[in-house]
Amino acid sequence: DSGVTQTPKHLITATGQRVTLRCSPRSGDLSVYWYQQSLDQGLQFLIQYYNGEERAKGNILERFSAQQFPDLHSELNLSSLELGDSALYFCASTLTGAVNTEAFFGQGTRLTVV
Amino acid sequence: DQQVKQNSPSLSVQEGRISILNCDYTNSMFDYFLWYKKYPAEGPTFLISISSIKDKNEDGRFTVFLNKSAKHLSLHIVPSQPGDSAVYFCAASGVNYGQNFVFGPGTRLSVLP
């Protein structure tokens, strides 16, 4: 158990809809990262937050947004969903947001858009 | 443009033998490298890391080698066990690169009994 909790584990929704994925980092970790893994692909970095502030942005679509709340949990909002958004979405956390350390991952949310 | 490459999508090894997983990177600003293991329906699990100031790091059956001049790293698993069967991701990061980790596409290792 990595200590990172993601909910829900599975989500099935229709095209055009909006969903919210939730992540609780390890206790004490200040930084949260979101990654997308499409079928048989590597993990694509979407966005990072540190202590409530956006720290870095990767290949995140404009239809996607995220935030980190004062209690340090994070939410990833995906809107106007398309079939191609079907993927595994992982959240990871680190203590300080420094990159020269390991990140701990949650079990992921599998999103299926039909 | 893939900055971290794992050119072998899959690898099969006999139990007890050595598994060697390879990873190449293109960005010289990377100075920290990690290996993650992923089982189906689970998130990636941190395995071992290496800083660019070293060329080798060992943890039990797992050893990572870094060749900075070749921009190449490898993960050795000795001896391989059936429980090692998983997808292995190489990842890179750097203090001067940015605040995120860049992952390779993964190599699926199958250890045959």
Side-chain angles (χ1 to χ4, degrees), chain A residues 85-102:
Chain A
D85 297 328
S86 296
L88 265 170
Y89 291 84
F90 288 105
C91 166
S93 71
T94 62
L95 180 61
T96 63
V99 288
N100 288 6
T101 183
E102 62 267 25

Side-chain angles (χ1 to χ4, degrees), chain B residues 87-101:
Chain B
V87 177
Y88 288 78
F89 290 99
C90 170
S93 68
V95 171
N96 295 315
Y97 170 74
Q99 298 294 322
N100 74 89
F101 303 87

Side-chain angles (χ1 to χ4, degrees), chain B residues 1 25 29 39 41 47 58 63 68 73 82 93 102-103 108 113:
Chain B
D1 177 30
Y25 62 97
M29 293 181 81
Y39 293 118
L47 201 54
E58 203 169 342
T63 303
K68 278 180 59 180
L73 61 154
S93 68
V102 180
F103 282 80
R108 183 177 302 276

Side-chain angles (χ1 to χ4, degrees), chain A residues 64-104:
Chain A
F64 296 1
S65 65
Q67 55 184 325
Q68 186 179 27
F69 294 87
D71 67 353
L72 301 177
H73 91 271
S74 178
E75 292 181 356
L76 178 67
N77 300 296
L78 316 175
S79 61
S80 303
L81 284 166
E82 303 174 358
L83 295 177
D85 297 328
S86 296
L88 265 170
Y89 291 84
F90 288 105
C91 166
S93 71
T94 62
L95 180 61
T96 63
V99 288
N100 288 6
T101 183
E102 62 267 25
F104 293 86

